[in-house]
Amino acid sequence: MRRLIFTLFFLIISIFSFGQQRISGRISGPKGAIAFATVTLPESGQTTYAGENGMFSISAPGQGKVQLRITAVGYKTVDSIITPAQQLIEFSMQTLDLNLREVEVNFVRKNASSNTSIIFDRQAIEQVQAFSITDILNNLPGKKIVPLDLQGPTNLTLRGNVDGAAERNNAMGIGIVVDGIVQTNNANMQSRNIGTFGVGGGVLNDSRNNRQYDVTFGGIDLRDIPADNIESIEVIQGIAPVKYGDMTDGAVIINRQAGGTPYQFSARFNGGSTNTSLSKGFVLNKKAGAINVNLNYLLSNNDPRDKMKSYSRLNGGVMWTSYFAKGLKNNFSIDLSEKFDNAKTDPDDDRLRRTYSKARSVRVGNRTSYTFEHSYLKSINLTIGFDRSYSESYADYYLNGSPKGMGGKDTTGTYEGFYIPGTYTAVDHIIGRPININGGLDLLSGFSTGNIKHAVSLGLSFSRSSNAGQGVLADPNRPRLPNSQNRNERPYNFELVPALVNTGAYVEDRFKLSLFGKTLNTSAGLRLDFQNGYASLQPRVNTNLDLGRGIRINAAYGIATKAPSLAYRYPGPTYIDLPLIDYYTGDVRNSLYLLHTWRHVPDNSNLKPGRSQQAELGVLLNKPFFTTSITAYHKINTRGFTTQSMYHPLTVALYNAVPNPQGKPGYVPAGRDSIWPGLQISEVGNLVDSKNSGVEWLVSTKKIDVIQTSLSFNTVFGYSTYRNAGERASVSNEIFIREGRKAWYAIYEANSFDKWSLVSRINTNTHIPRLGLVVSALIDMTWKDETKTLSSRVPVAYLDKNMVRYPISTFDPANADYGHLGLAQANDSFASLPRPYANLSMRLSKEFKKRIRFSLNAYNVLNIQPRYYDDSTNQLYVFNEPISVGAELSFKF
């Protein structure tokens, strides 16, 4: 495939005529030349790097004006429209601090990787005073500022007013890309058998606060990613470029600091949470570049008075950026991390419950980029990432009951089990060792055909996910839920699970042309992925038309897919233990427990990749004083992953006990069989789908000099209709089964949900450069939040004893075959926010001599908690959490 793509690439570009223009410049700052600054042509994606003397040279396709962007760690980004000239062009960069006249402390919407990308630069990140990137992403349109909570995992969802399984699939479908390398959750298997417990109950749960500490079936836990060494974050909510695969609902692209920086120490505090960090970028001699080192530690106690629940995180990393040859840049990084969710035993808890989740990982990444001085071949990029983790999930629970019969075999058959005491400490213990390897190779060409400027890119991607952990360490002598619905856990070794391998290829053309005197920019591409044995073609287009006078129209359309993770693909066997004789005499030596075990091995090879299809249309108005945009989108997600309970009737031979006064009783065949019609196993399927529509309206102004204040406003309307599972089934009453009725199981349509919301945010930023002071006020307004649940009560089909399906067009209670099934015990429900409510939060940052920064932030600064009592439901609504105050102190030296 690789040879074919290279041949096709050169064949396509060889037929065009190539018009080129060269841009040469010098970049300097307050202290002289800025070495190794990054120079990008956003329209074509071309990139080069300044030398030690700040000099650079880059060729642009076509003729005429060119958009150019210069970035360097610690400096304000330069965006410029230039006309290439023969002479050297001088560029001056300003040090990034609060004494600048213009400082961007909010996100900005830019036409970057997509039409509607949202960018957080370094100043916006520092203003948030973030303990993790969760705090930054809460500033996205449609999200809300919330008090700091580090006691449970956090996932991001984009453009989906959904919950349950649909929410998990949305989070899993968001790609996290750090320094060009994808961070994936595909190898996470921290769950008990989902055939027994389902997706919702498989992850270990802290029963005291009903929280789970693992994110096995969702996205990456954002608490684990610190924000201190991040230079920029780009959030793609719309159509991602075809370069990015294995993601259905957007991407978060993180670029960390790489280059010379002073020592920076930061300490932040909020309630029982403390976070400290130290970083430094060391500039090396000549072309050796720079080495960036960072260390970050966080400790959070849910209640500092008893410290019963805590979360800790330790991160450290080294990044070496080098420029050993002209046009060659290499970025090598090693990152170590450890996290620990620890819910300790409460001495006052009769159950003596304890739960913890710990993980540690090592990540190695390398990015190599070579820029050519060639008429059409512009650059080649190679990325390789490797990460290996250790994950451990544990929960114990003291049980006090009567002795119970248990079985321990992992094969199908009838055999003698054993008895366990009724009083013991039940243990759930899971150990995983996820391993992920991924890589990508990209080629970029720039040329023109007539007056059309092209930037054509080709690429290959590869990922492999496996797990070498000990797996589920089920102890039959200490089960947490013994014989629950005749199901029990068995050990499951993750090392026996095959690896998941996904491959992909893409081609994309970013071109610019003049249409009736207006400029049309388009990025059109096609991606081909091979995931779990299925091939998926994914066309994607982002286009915008500049109408002049600051008006731009945007349109985009794309298809994307997400492969099932290891936890969905290989959930392990499910064991049904059917008691045939339970003859307990009080002495286990003279007792008999005879059972039949059925081992069910799921085959999920037919799981298709999850799929999304999205279209968006928008308009942007950019005026000297203000910018506003309106974007409408419609996204259809299908083939999402979850489990549903399926019935598996079994017929088992019966036995009679033969008492033995002298010792252990015996047993003989009874000569008849018993039917077990109500045995349930949760099976994985492509069962989740949703339709999501919405409108996003954003407004931002320049600074009003008289009051030194800028304003921003956004309102987001979102509407979703979704299903969280497949069809529902229920078993007929055993009396009717023994009567010989044909219908054994009733099939009902899945519940569907309609949900819509309307939220707004008003943000004011007062910036006084002379004082190095920024004061921000944020008002979150929730106008409406409404959910409707539609339940199906009438069977749409039934199954007979052989599991043959028969449709029911119109339910007839008098029908002799299925009339006894009756109606499901389910009713429609409706939940609606009784009235709008608002919340005011504030932030303050003060810089002293460009070296020291002190910051304060307060959630619900007025401590207003509106209350509403609904007489019809006897429910009390309390809006907003109590006031929460945090502080940060940062030193540069």
Side-chain angles (χ1 to χ4, degrees):
M1 179 184 287
R2 182 177 300 178
R3 179 177 298 177
L4 176 63
I5 290 176
F6 272 90
T7 303
L8 180 62
F9 176 76
F10 288 110
L11 180 63
I12 291 174
I13 62 179
S14 64
I15 66 174
F16 296 112
S17 59
F18 308 103
Q20 301 289 325
Q21 52 186 340
R22 182 155 291 279
I23 303 167
S24 298
R26 178 167 51 208
I27 306 168
S28 59
K31 296 182 180 180
I34 299 176
F36 311 126
T38 302
V39 182
T40 305
L41 304 181
E43 292 176 345
S44 65
Q46 293 173 240
T47 299
T48 191
Y49 309 96
E52 295 177 87
N53 56 2
M55 305 282 287
F56 74 91
S57 179
I58 188 171
S59 62
Q63 302 295 322
K65 294 183 178 181
V66 176
Q67 181 184 358
L68 184 130
R69 178 172 298 153
I70 304 174
T71 58
V73 174
Y75 293 91
K76 185 177 180 180
T77 298
V78 173
D79 278 299
S80 181
I81 304 294
I82 64 170
T83 300
Q86 296 296 325
Q87 68 272 21
L88 200 68
I89 304 175
E90 297 284 348
F91 295 91
S92 178
M93 302 189 74
Q94 296 175 298
T95 305
L96 202 60
D97 57 59
L98 295 182
N99 294 112
L100 292 176
R101 186 182 183 280
E102 295 290 340
V103 173
E104 187 59 69
V105 295
N106 289 330
F107 69 81
V108 293
R109 171 160 278 180
K110 286 185 178 180
N111 180 16
S113 296
S114 72
N115 282 339
T116 53
S117 289
I118 290 176
I119 310 292
F120 296 88
D121 66 11
R122 183 61 200 166
Q123 282 285 24
I125 292 170
E126 288 188 345
Q127 185 68 7
V128 175
Q129 306 155 44
F131 283 72
S132 72
I133 67 168
T134 301
D135 302 316
I136 300 169
L137 299 178
N138 282 338
N139 290 271
L140 289 169
K143 305 295 183 184
K144 299 178 185 178
I145 303 299
V146 295
L148 183 68
D149 182 6
L150 295 165
Q151 300 308 315
T154 56
N155 274 173
L156 174 68
T157 58
L158 296 173
R159 289 186 174 176
N161 242 6
V162 293
D163 54 19
E167 182 180 26
R168 287 191 294 268
N169 278 268
N170 187 300
M172 188 176 72
I174 296 173
I176 307 293
V177 184
V178 180
D179 296 329
I181 298 173
V182 176
Q183 310 294 309
T184 179
N185 203 35
N186 283 348
N188 189 339
M189 299 186 70
Q190 295 300 112
S191 171
R192 296 175 292 187
N193 183 271
I194 60 176
T196 300
F197 297 98
V199 168
V203 178
L204 297 189
N205 180 65
D206 185 353
S207 57
R208 288 169 292 183
N209 55 29
N210 198 31
R211 275 192 167 180
Q212 296 176 334
Y213 302 129
D214 295 310
V215 287
T216 311
F217 302 103
I220 289 175
D221 188 353
L222 301 181
R223 294 179 305 166
D224 299 340
I225 305 177
D228 292 86
N229 63 332
I230 294 177
E231 185 68 15
S232 68
I233 299 175
E234 178 182 359
V235 180
I236 303 174
Q237 300 187 95
I239 311 304
V242 290
K243 174 181 179 180
Y244 300 108
D246 202 33
M247 53 186 73
T248 50
D249 291 88
V252 178
I253 302 171
I254 299 171
N255 293 304
R256 297 184 296 179
Q257 293 178 330
T261 62
Y263 282 99
Q264 180 165 345
F265 173 79
S266 299
R268 55 187 64 90
F269 311 91
N270 190 314
S273 301
T274 304
N275 183 207
T276 56
S277 68
L278 178 65
S279 63
K280 166 66 178 172
F282 298 93
V283 178
L284 306 178
N285 294 329
K286 298 184 178 180
K287 296 181 179 180
I291 291 181
N292 291 80
V293 181
N294 67 86
L295 185 66
N296 189 290
Y297 177 71
L298 182 149
L299 176 62
S300 176
N301 286 293
N302 186 45
D303 187 340
R305 295 170 298 180
D306 57 28
K307 300 182 179 180
M308 294 304 303
K309 170 62 181 71
S310 65
Y311 167 76
S312 62
R313 182 193 72 205
L314 178 64
N315 302 81
V318 177
M319 181 187 296
W320 178 26
T321 307
S322 57
Y323 308 82
F324 284 116
K326 184 178 180 181
L328 176 65
K329 178 184 179 181
N330 193 77
N331 185 291
F332 176 77
S333 62
I334 299 178
D335 294 279
L336 306 174
S337 65
E338 184 173 5
K339 72 101 175 180
F340 189 19
D341 269 299
N342 188 17
K344 302 177 183 178
T345 301
D346 186 346
D348 297 326
D349 180 14
D350 293 338
R351 295 295 184 181
L352 300 177
R353 289 168 289 186
R354 184 193 179 194
T355 307
Y356 67 75
S357 172
K358 62 174 67 174
R360 57 181 180 268
S361 68
V362 55
R363 289 188 172 92
V364 180
N366 193 84
R367 291 183 296 165
T368 302
S369 174
Y370 187 77
T371 302
F372 298 92
E373 293 187 1
H374 196 278
S375 57
Y376 52 86
L377 185 58
K378 298 304 179 184
S379 66
I380 183 170
N381 301 280
L382 175 66
T383 61
I384 299 174
F386 169 83
D387 70 76
R388 183 183 178 99
S389 306
Y390 171 86
S391 303
E392 183 177 1
S393 307
Y394 179 92
D396 59 32
Y397 193 102
Y398 181 73
L399 296 180
N400 187 5
S402 59
K404 298 174 179 63
M406 292 294 299
K409 287 192 175 182
D410 59 1
T411 56
T412 297
T414 300
Y415 60 98
E416 293 184 26
F418 56 91
Y419 285 92
I420 60 173
T423 301
Y424 60 92
T425 299
V427 173
D428 282 316
H429 197 187
I430 307 169
I431 295 178
R433 297 182 185 272
I435 302 172
N436 294 289
I437 303 172
N438 61 76
L441 178 66
D442 308 285
L443 293 174
L444 176 64
S445 169
F447 54 87
S448 61
T449 57
N451 293 324
I452 303 176
K453 298 178 181 180
H454 296 269
V456 175
S457 56
L458 292 173
L460 300 171
S461 62
F462 168 85
S463 68
R464 183 183 188 274
S465 300
S466 59
N467 198 307
Q470 295 170 260
V472 178
L473 305 179
D475 184 350
N477 292 294
R478 297 193 293 173
R480 171 64 183 88
L481 298 170
N483 300 320
S484 175
Q485 296 184 334
N486 299 114
R487 297 175 297 196
N488 289 295
E489 282 278 88
R490 301 290 198 277
Y492 180 45
N493 191 343
F494 294 163
E495 291 183 280
L496 304 179
V497 174
L500 282 180
V501 177
N502 299 318
T503 57
Y506 75 88
V507 58
E508 183 178 60
D509 184 10
R510 301 171 67 178
F511 59 89
K512 180 180 180 180
L513 58 86
S514 179
L515 185 67
F516 303 111
K518 310 300 180 182
T519 301
L520 177 69
N521 292 283
T522 301
S523 173
L526 181 67
R527 183 176 182 88
L528 173 63
D529 275 320
F530 294 93
Q531 301 161 310
N532 198 34
Y534 290 89
S536 302
L537 277 174
Q538 305 159 53
R540 302 179 199 169
V541 178
N542 277 278
T543 187
N544 62 79
L545 180 64
D546 191 344
L547 299 178
R549 297 185 178 182
I551 303 174
R552 190 181 73 199
I553 296 176
N554 306 314
Y557 171 80
I559 295 174
T561 61
K562 177 72 181 76
S565 64
L566 280 175
Y568 283 118
R569 181 65 177 84
Y570 301 104
T574 302
Y575 296 89
I576 301 291
D577 292 330
L578 303 178
L580 303 180
I581 298 176
D582 188 355
Y583 195 107
Y584 184 69
T585 64
D587 183 351
V588 295
R589 295 169 298 179
N590 297 322
S591 301
L592 172 66
Y593 183 68
L594 187 71
L595 72 155
H596 179 85
T597 291
W598 178 54
R599 182 177 186 260
H600 172 73
V601 181
D603 178 13
N604 294 337
S605 59
N606 61 343
L607 274 182
K608 297 179 180 179
R611 186 177 188 269
S612 72
Q613 183 178 198
Q614 183 174 189
E616 66 176 24
L617 181 66
V619 60
L620 179 142
L621 177 62
N622 190 0
K623 293 296 183 180
F625 176 66
F626 73 93
T627 300
T628 183
S629 65
I630 297 178
T631 303
Y633 66 87
H634 181 62
K635 181 173 64 172
I636 301 174
N637 290 77
T638 55
R639 305 193 312 220
F641 313 111
T642 193
T643 53
Q644 69 174 351
S645 291
M646 301 293 291
Y647 286 94
H648 293 267
L650 285 182
T651 300
V652 180
L654 294 179
Y655 292 82
N656 292 326
V658 179
N660 180 5
Q662 305 301 320
K664 185 175 182 178
Y667 57 92
V668 295
R672 65 183 190 279
D673 297 335
S674 175
I675 299 174
W676 297 74
L679 303 177
Q680 289 180 283
I681 293 177
S682 294
E683 298 184 359
V684 179
N686 296 112
L687 305 168
V688 182
D689 58 63
S690 65
K691 295 180 180 179
N692 311 277
S693 303
V695 178
E696 302 163 346
W697 178 29
L698 281 67
V699 181
S700 62
T701 72
K702 300 292 185 181
K703 183 190 291 186
I704 304 171
D705 291 333
V706 175
I707 57 175
Q708 296 288 289
T709 300
S710 61
L711 306 173
S712 64
F713 166 82
N714 65 73
T715 291
V716 176
F717 165 80
Y719 172 79
S720 295
T721 175
Y722 56 100
R723 295 188 312 166
N724 273 334
E727 294 176 325
R728 296 178 292 118
S730 66
V731 63
S732 172
N733 190 296
E734 193 169 337
I735 295 176
F736 297 114
I737 292 177
R738 296 190 182 280
E739 286 179 358
R741 298 289 185 95
K742 186 175 182 180
W744 279 32
Y745 306 98
I747 305 298
Y748 304 89
E749 290 183 348
N751 289 348
S752 62
F753 303 86
D754 289 342
K755 187 173 183 178
W756 71 276
S757 65
L758 180 64
V759 296
S760 299
R761 175 176 294 159
I762 301 173
N763 190 358
T764 68
N765 295 295
T766 300
H767 172 220
I768 306 175
R770 182 179 300 178
L771 299 178
L773 176 69
V774 174
V775 179
S776 302
L778 304 94
I779 300 175
D780 284 326
M781 190 75 191
T782 303
W783 302 100
K784 197 67 176 176
D785 192 345
E786 184 175 293
T787 303
K788 182 186 296 184
T789 303
L790 304 176
S791 301
S792 173
R793 302 187 64 215
V794 178
V796 295
Y798 69 89
L799 306 177
D800 65 11
K801 64 180 180 180
N802 298 314
M803 306 303 288
V804 176
R805 182 184 178 108
Y806 299 87
I808 301 175
S809 55
T810 302
F811 182 75
D812 179 9
N815 187 283
D817 291 334
Y818 64 76
H820 60 284
L821 296 177
L823 303 179
Q825 298 298 313
N827 295 303
D828 296 347
S829 63
F830 178 79
S832 178
L833 184 70
R835 66 185 186 191
Y837 69 96
N839 174 63
L840 171 64
S841 300
M842 297 193 72
R843 299 169 182 155
L844 178 149
S845 292
K846 174 70 174 77
E847 209 165 61
F848 301 90
K849 297 184 178 181
K850 302 182 181 181
R851 296 284 182 180
I852 302 174
R853 177 182 290 207
F854 175 71
S855 304
L856 282 174
N857 68 83
Y859 164 84
N860 192 9
V861 65
L862 301 178
N863 200 26
I864 297 176
Q865 293 182 273
R867 295 168 180 261
Y868 174 80
Y869 184 77
D870 189 339
D871 293 322
S872 62
T873 61
N874 294 322
Q875 186 171 356
L876 177 65
Y877 295 88
V878 180
F879 306 112
N880 299 329
E881 297 293 325
I883 185 173
S884 174
V885 179
E888 178 181 351
L889 189 61
S890 176
F891 300 89
K892 293 180 181 180
F893 54 94

